[in-house]
Amino acid sequence: MAAEPVWSVDPRTGKPREQVAVEATKDEVDRAVRAAHATREALADRTARAAFLRTAADLLDGAGEQIAEAADAETALGPVRLTGELARTTAQLRAFADVVEEGSFLDVRIDLPDPAATPPRPDLRRWKIPLGVVAVYAASNFPLAFSVPGGDTASALAAGCPVVVKAHPDHPATSELCATLLRRAAAKTGLPEDVVVLVHGFDAGVELVRHPLVAAAGFTGSIRGGRALFDAAAARPAPIPFHGELGSLNPVVVTPAAAGERAEEIGGGLAGSMTLGAGQFCTKPGLVLAPRGEDGDRFLAALTAAVSETEPAVMLDHRMRDAFVSGVAERAALDGVRTTVTPGAGGEHTVSAGVLDVDADRLAGGGHLLLLLEECFGPVTVVARYSSREEVTAVLRLLPGNLTATLHIAAEDAGDPDAAPLLAELTPLAGRVLVNGWPTGVAVAPAQHHGGPYPATTSTSTSVGATAIERWLRPVTYQSTPDRLLPPELRDDNPLGVPRR
């Protein structure tokens, strides 16, 4: 049977651009995983790993114009957005190089022997070691930062884990280009090229998570696709960790005091956040609780005006466009839903942003309106108008886990009695809680957390920031082991100067 071709498609026209590759067979996936697995010993050298990550960043930056051009042709995200995303991606690679060199990610802990303790304590030395080959499933909406050279790949390599990436079908040419640069960076720093291997195809992705030499997986995508892979990872004879980012509504609550203080500013800010990147950010605010009354009306009017001025946009592919058009039509047709700005088809290849609004008390009643509490990927948000704090609480209790939750309060929150209790209500719902800001945009920083309760993610880990490396490590303790047999990081003289407790 002939291998299925992999085509690069122009989302602005829906037409194929070029054949990039062919889908990997089961045997080819097996060879890819085994080739990556064979590089583990070489990747154990932390100095080489750090040099590799920095060289990869340099090569990606050097090919920036070519990468942005390739990615724009496949995603329609635009050169400005993609240039910024590339800068974020290479900064992330360099940040992980710093993490590798500094060494505290190894979490070295030493308990010296104490015969007088009850019970007696032996010599115990604990650190973390890499899991093995990591399968990375690239995201559609971030062809760089969450794809081949993105956070999952960077953090896994930093941990000492080789990576096999399953390319996303929306940007296969960009994936091939970035994978080539990563492999070239490995060779330039004396590492085997197969520390990074790329495969294409749906079936290849399924085979990858089932392969016995794959030790963990990272995924960014839909609830349906991610849950299927998560279940496959758990159903293996030896289950593996599956760190999936699946879906998020990212609720926003606007207090009466905030609306009274700056209704127009909040409405305009929401419009910019929910339409950014054609509403295709995983942190897009999809549900907003806003008060009834004159101040809430001003907020909704400002939101309506700003969204109405938004130009039709091209989504990442026509399948997503069609799903958005049908999804917003289904929601707009629900009894009790008002169409403030009509979302839907903006043209043969585009979509128009929109706003739906509903009474919070009706939404809290559940039933058919619960569809409004499911993520709709694209430029639409739902505004639920509330009359009391009890209605806000009733709606929040219906929400699943989220990546973010946002609270808009009065600038002087001493005059906003809802600030503290609402912050307490939002905290259990999300991995990142914002006050007087917007969730789109995830800073790469040591304190960042990009994750949340299911279905936002399938684990308690973050996929952004320095602690993302922890997903690909496991602890090992050596007991009463002669110093000469210990890894250098655990020896008495600590020749590598690793931070230790």
Side-chain angles (χ1 to χ4, degrees), residues 73-319:
E74 295 186 306
T75 66
L77 290 173
V80 174
R81 149 71 193 273
L82 291 165
T83 299
E85 186 180 334
L86 179 61
R88 179 190 191 280
T89 302
T90 57
Q92 188 167 239
L93 286 162
R94 294 185 179 101
F96 275 116
D98 293 341
V99 168
V100 172
E101 285 185 334
E102 190 268 343
S104 61
F105 76 97
L106 296 169
D107 196 21
V108 175
R109 299 165 185 255
I110 296 177
D111 282 315
L112 297 176
D114 185 357
T118 304
R121 187 177 68 222
D123 185 285
L124 299 170
R125 302 186 182 224
R126 182 184 188 270
W127 74 329
K128 292 182 178 179
I129 64 172
L131 292 174
V133 178
V134 171
V136 170
Y137 294 82
S140 62
N141 56 342
F142 282 86
L144 305 173
F146 285 85
S147 292
V148 174
D152 284 352
T153 298
S155 58
L157 292 169
C161 295
V163 171
V164 179
V165 184
K166 206 291 283 184
H168 196 281
D170 277 355
H171 40 79
T174 307
S175 298
E176 285 285 344
L177 174 57
C178 290
T180 297
L181 292 168
L182 291 180
R183 289 169 64 85
R184 189 179 302 163
K188 287 188 69 171
T189 49
L191 292 173
E193 289 185 343
D194 289 336
V195 295
V196 177
V197 185
L198 183 70
V199 297
H200 296 266
F202 175 85
D203 291 342
V206 176
E207 292 298 334
L208 192 55
V209 80
R210 293 174 175 168
H211 197 286
L213 292 181
V214 168
F219 171 90
T220 303
S222 68
I223 293 178
R224 181 179 178 184
R227 183 54 193 255
L229 290 170
F230 176 58
D231 290 346
R236 292 167 40 129
I240 60 171
F242 183 89
H243 300 284
E245 180 190 321
L246 310 187
S248 185
L249 194 61
N250 305 303
V252 177
V253 179
V254 181
T255 68
E261 182 182 82
R262 56 184 198 286
E264 289 80 9
E265 177 187 329
I266 297 172
L270 172 60
S273 183
M274 59 152 285
T275 60
L276 186 64
Q280 297 172 116
F281 276 52
C282 51
T283 52
K284 180 205 75 175
L287 173 71
V288 183
L289 285 147
R292 292 184 184 275
E294 182 180 341
D295 294 331
D297 291 344
R298 289 193 295 117
F299 155 77
L300 191 58
L303 173 64
T304 300
V307 172
S308 297
E309 293 173 0
T310 303
E311 293 293 326
V314 176
M315 294 191 71
L316 293 163
D317 63 37
H318 280 59
R319 176 184 57 82

Side-chain angles (χ1 to χ4, degrees), residues 141-142 245 247-252 269-288 315 324 328 331 343 353-356 372 374-382 402-406 432 434 438-442 450:
N141 56 342
F142 282 86
E245 180 190 321
S248 185
L249 194 61
N250 305 303
V252 177
L270 172 60
S273 183
M274 59 152 285
T275 60
L276 186 64
Q280 297 172 116
F281 276 52
C282 51
T283 52
K284 180 205 75 175
L287 173 71
V288 183
M315 294 191 71
F324 173 77
V328 292
R331 288 163 172 79
V355 178
L356 307 177
L372 299 175
E374 296 179 15
E375 180 184 18
C376 186
F377 194 70
V380 66
T381 197
V382 174
N402 293 271
L403 294 169
T404 72
T406 300
R432 179 164 57 105
L434 301 88
W438 297 108
T440 39
V442 184
H450 188 64

Side-chain angles (χ1 to χ4, degrees), residues 286-427:
L287 173 71
V288 183
L289 285 147
R292 292 184 184 275
E294 182 180 341
D295 294 331
D297 291 344
R298 289 193 295 117
F299 155 77
L300 191 58
L303 173 64
T304 300
V307 172
S308 297
E309 293 173 0
T310 303
E311 293 293 326
V314 176
M315 294 191 71
L316 293 163
D317 63 37
H318 280 59
R319 176 184 57 82
M320 292 182 190
R321 176 193 174 277
D322 294 345
F324 173 77
V325 171
S326 62
V328 292
E330 184 180 5
R331 288 163 172 79
L334 295 173
D335 182 43
V337 174
R338 298 176 289 270
T339 307
T340 306
V341 183
T342 303
E348 184 180 358
H349 306 293
T350 60
V351 297
S352 293
V355 178
L356 307 177
D357 73 283
V358 65
D359 295 332
D361 57 346
R362 291 199 63 176
L363 181 57
H368 65 283
L369 290 176
L370 289 178
L371 178 62
L372 299 175
L373 303 183
E374 296 179 15
E375 180 184 18
C376 186
F377 194 70
V380 66
T381 197
V382 174
V383 177
R385 303 291 300 274
Y386 66 86
S387 300
S388 66
R389 277 280 288 104
E390 290 74 22
E391 290 180 10
V392 175
T393 296
V395 172
L396 292 180
R397 284 175 177 167
L398 297 175
L399 299 187
N402 293 271
L403 294 169
T404 72
T406 300
L407 178 61
H408 278 272
I409 61 175
E412 296 294 334
D413 67 88
D416 195 337
D418 295 312
L422 278 171
L423 193 67
E425 282 189 50
L426 290 173
T427 297

Side-chain angles (χ1 to χ4, degrees), residues 10-26:
D10 183 348
R12 294 179 173 94
T13 64
K15 295 180 180 179
R17 299 175 55 249
E18 60 176 333
Q19 182 180 337
V20 173
V22 295
E23 295 187 357
T25 65
K26 182 177 181 179

